Amino acid sequence: MEDLVKFVQDEFVTKKEFPKFSAGDTITVYYEIREGEKTRTQFFRGVVIQLRGTGASQTFTIRKMSGDVGVERIFPINLPTLQKIEVNKKGSVRRKRIFYFRELTGKKAKIREKRK
């Protein structure tokens, strides 16, 4: 059964090329919004909290602060309305899923930039 699902995903799901990113990176996601017959491009800039899944079913979660309120959004990597992803900063974190980041505030919520 898994082979059949993988075959269908490989054959029929269109794949887009996006830059490599991981947890701790600050990225900007540009996606299309439809309001009635009009479409516009909106962006969401934040820190990647987690990458989950593989292949066509991969998703990533982004967290940003909007005033004093934390906002998280989950994007499937194969979302048809996803236009582009920009990596703004590479973060240096020790874990793949940084859920501890939700409780941090102020200076503690800074993620060190990865050294080159």
Side-chain angles (χ1 to χ4, degrees):
M1 187 65 179
E2 292 176 19
D3 296 333
L4 180 63
V5 171
K6 186 172 181 172
F7 172 75
V8 170
Q9 286 177 350
D10 290 342
E11 291 294 319
F12 300 109
V13 176
T14 59
K15 294 179 182 166
K16 297 179 182 177
E17 291 297 319
F18 293 119
K20 293 277 187 194
F21 57 90
S22 60
D25 294 351
T26 302
I27 65 172
T28 306
V29 177
Y30 294 89
Y31 57 99
E32 198 173 89
I33 298 237
R34 258 188 215 111
E35 296 169 335
E37 294 186 15
K38 291 188 233 170
T39 60
R40 63 185 175 87
T41 301
Q42 185 168 324
F43 68 92
F44 193 89
R45 179 180 288 130
V47 177
V48 178
I49 296 245
Q50 73 170 340
L51 288 163
R52 176 179 219 155
T54 58
S57 63
Q58 186 177 15
T59 62
F60 57 96
T61 305
I62 301 180
R63 179 179 176 85
K64 75 171 185 176
M65 293 302 290
S66 181
D68 291 340
V69 180
V71 179
E72 289 186 12
R73 176 119 194 226
I74 300 171
F75 289 98
I77 201 83
N78 283 329
L79 189 68
T81 60
L82 214 60
Q83 291 179 341
K84 69 177 179 175
I85 297 175
E86 290 179 353
V87 179
N88 303 102
K89 278 197 244 175
K90 287 287 208 180
S92 173
V93 293
R94 292 184 180 183
R95 300 175 184 271
K96 284 287 189 188
R97 297 183 177 177
I98 53 174
F99 296 136
Y100 66 87
F101 191 65
R102 292 173 176 158
E103 282 81 41
L104 301 180
T105 57
K107 288 185 180 179
K108 291 182 181 179
K110 276 192 176 180
I111 293 179
R112 287 189 318 255
E113 202 162 343
K114 195 177 276 187
R115 298 173 92 190
K116 295 183 177 168

